[in-house]
Amino acid sequence: MRVLGIESSCDETGVALYDGQQGLLADVLYSQSDMHNEYGGVVPELASRDHIRRVLPLIKDVLSKAKLSEASIDAIAYTRGPGLMGALLVGSCIAKALAFGWNIPLIGVHHMEGHLLAPMLEDNPPAFPFVALLVSGGHTQLIEVRNIGDYHLLGESLDDAAGEAFDKAASMLGLSYPGGPQIALRANNGDPQRFTFPRPMTDRPGLDFSFSGLKTFTLNTVNTHKQKNTLDEQTINDIARAFEEAVVDTLIIKASRALKQTGLKRLVIAGGVSANKRLRDSLTRRMSQHNIEVCYPRLTFCTDNGAMIAYAGHCRLVAGQRDEESLHPMPRWSLESLSKI
């Protein structure tokens, strides 16, 4: 069965076509990062309007790349939530209209389930069960995954997500949006010995995250050097390095605790922050010391994309899920509330 996937939860418009026998047939993505960079972050109204402009042309592009017609699509999957309400409405309305017009089933997909299942698109997908570390601009979560839909939340961020913290730290340093790639780029030339930033909530038990204190520490460090007129390019690099290492270490410490708590030997990391090279290298190195298998999606599937929505939608379609057109988008939606398949 062929499923068309539409992702429009935030600032990237993704469309893909997945076939249960042949795998991913085509995938296209449009990023709004250049537009939002002017404002230092995502402007919801602008994001929604841009999704309206992009979705239908991207659908035509996907069908052209796959050399297929609308008649070959068996179902449409779309991101129902969580995300920005206006952005979700765009994908939802277009998916519902096309499903009605083409008389095919409709499946509303949980955005984080899409990220969680993105590594399944690889040639050697991870086997269940595993611990998932989901790190993106909107979420930082540790989840015990027994099967598709069988999720147990182990810990999550109590304030900003890791990706959001990267964006804010970059803004403090005068770097452009999105902040993650900019921090990583500057950190490559930073001195790892100059600054030591805190690893928040690692000195107490539990699997929850908090990055507000780290942001405050970063801001204070930046302001101190601004007052002394010593915030030069090298200092920016050094602060970026200290910030990045603090986030990476925090994520690794918490993920290690989750693996120990569950007794599992496999870790899946997904979401936009999972593209961070220092995080990937450090996780692989440290986990190999404890015989833990670490699995990632390819870099193009770390950020929001239509392929993960199409795949998750296919899994639920095969399991018998069919959604009513009357279902509303859910800007807030618990992953644990999903049905098991």
Side-chain angles (χ1 to χ4, degrees):
M1 301 185 80
R2 295 189 182 118
V3 177
L4 181 73
I6 300 173
E7 156 60 23
S8 67
S9 64
C10 191
D11 61 340
E12 285 159 322
T13 314
V15 178
L17 190 59
Y18 182 84
D19 184 285
Q21 297 296 322
Q22 299 174 277
L24 187 64
L25 301 179
D27 170 52
V28 294
L29 181 72
Y30 180 84
S31 174
Q32 302 174 0
S33 59
D34 289 343
M35 177 177 66
H36 296 295
N37 179 45
E38 180 181 351
Y39 306 95
V42 177
V43 181
E45 177 67 17
L46 295 180
S48 303
R49 291 177 180 272
D50 201 64
H51 286 308
I52 293 172
R53 288 191 288 267
R54 307 295 175 184
V55 175
L56 290 177
L58 290 179
I59 290 174
K60 292 179 180 179
D61 192 14
V62 159
L63 290 173
S64 175
K65 289 178 181 294
K67 298 181 180 179
L68 293 170
S69 68
E70 297 91 338
S72 65
I73 299 174
D74 297 303
I76 296 181
Y78 69 98
T79 302
R80 186 183 174 202
L84 300 175
M85 185 60 175
L88 293 171
L89 274 169
V90 175
S92 169
C93 290
I94 291 176
K96 290 175 181 179
L98 292 178
F100 178 81
W102 295 342
N103 193 29
I104 56 177
L106 184 72
I107 302 100
V109 172
H110 193 292
H111 179 75
M112 299 312 293
E113 182 172 63
H115 274 304
L116 189 152
L117 297 178
M120 301 299 178
L121 292 164
E122 302 305 316
D123 293 334
N124 296 303
F128 298 105
F130 54 79
V131 169
L133 173 61
L134 301 182
V135 276
S136 66
H139 297 81
T140 301
Q141 298 177 323
L142 280 165
I143 300 166
E144 182 180 1
V145 180
R146 291 291 170 181
N147 212 323
I148 298 177
D150 189 357
Y151 309 131
H152 174 56
L153 181 65
L154 301 171
E156 62 184 340
S157 180
L158 303 178
D159 39 62
D160 288 354
E164 188 176 0
F166 269 107
D167 289 338
K168 291 182 177 179
S171 178
M172 295 172 196
L173 292 169
L175 306 178
S176 61
Y177 173 87
Q182 296 300 316
I183 290 285
L185 183 64
R186 300 302 292 264
N188 287 335
N189 296 314
D191 179 359
Q193 306 300 321
R194 184 174 177 186
F195 297 108
T196 301
F197 281 18
R199 276 57 174 163
M201 294 185 68
T202 58
D203 58 348
R204 67 192 77 175
L207 296 174
D208 287 331
F209 301 87
S210 172
F211 294 104
S212 60
L214 177 60
K215 288 190 309 173
T216 301
F217 192 95
T218 304
L219 181 60
N220 290 339
T221 303
V222 170
N223 286 340
T224 296
H225 283 276
K226 282 184 176 179
Q227 292 167 4
K228 295 179 179 179
N229 199 30
T230 55
L231 190 65
D232 53 23
E233 291 301 306
Q234 186 57 50
T235 300
I236 291 174
N237 294 343
D238 296 343
I239 292 174
R241 177 64 176 264
F243 178 85
E244 183 182 55
E245 288 193 346
V247 174
V248 167
D249 282 351
T250 300
L251 293 174
I252 292 175
I253 290 169
K254 296 288 186 172
S256 299
R257 287 183 186 175
L259 289 162
K260 184 176 181 180
Q261 179 177 308
T262 59
L264 297 175
K265 292 291 186 180
R266 187 174 297 109
L267 176 68
V268 165
I269 176 171
V273 180
S274 70
N276 183 278
K277 187 176 186 301
R278 196 175 308 281
L279 177 59
R280 288 188 173 220
D281 291 348
S282 298
L283 262 177
T284 300
R285 183 176 63 255
R286 296 197 202 181
M287 294 302 167
S288 65
Q289 298 171 359
H290 303 283
N291 297 316
I292 302 294
E293 178 187 2
V294 183
C295 306
Y296 311 92
R298 70 193 75 169
L299 293 178
T300 53
F301 293 157
C302 288
T303 57
D304 297 346
N305 62 87
M308 68 183 190
I309 302 303
Y311 177 77
H314 180 271
C315 292
R316 292 199 165 270
L317 178 71
V318 171
Q321 179 174 327
R322 306 289 189 279
D323 289 340
E324 298 294 329
E325 294 175 4
S326 59
L327 289 179
H328 298 297
M330 298 180 67
R332 296 183 181 274
W333 189 6
S334 169
L335 193 62
E336 291 180 296
S337 68
L338 298 182
S339 59
K340 299 177 183 180
I341 63 174

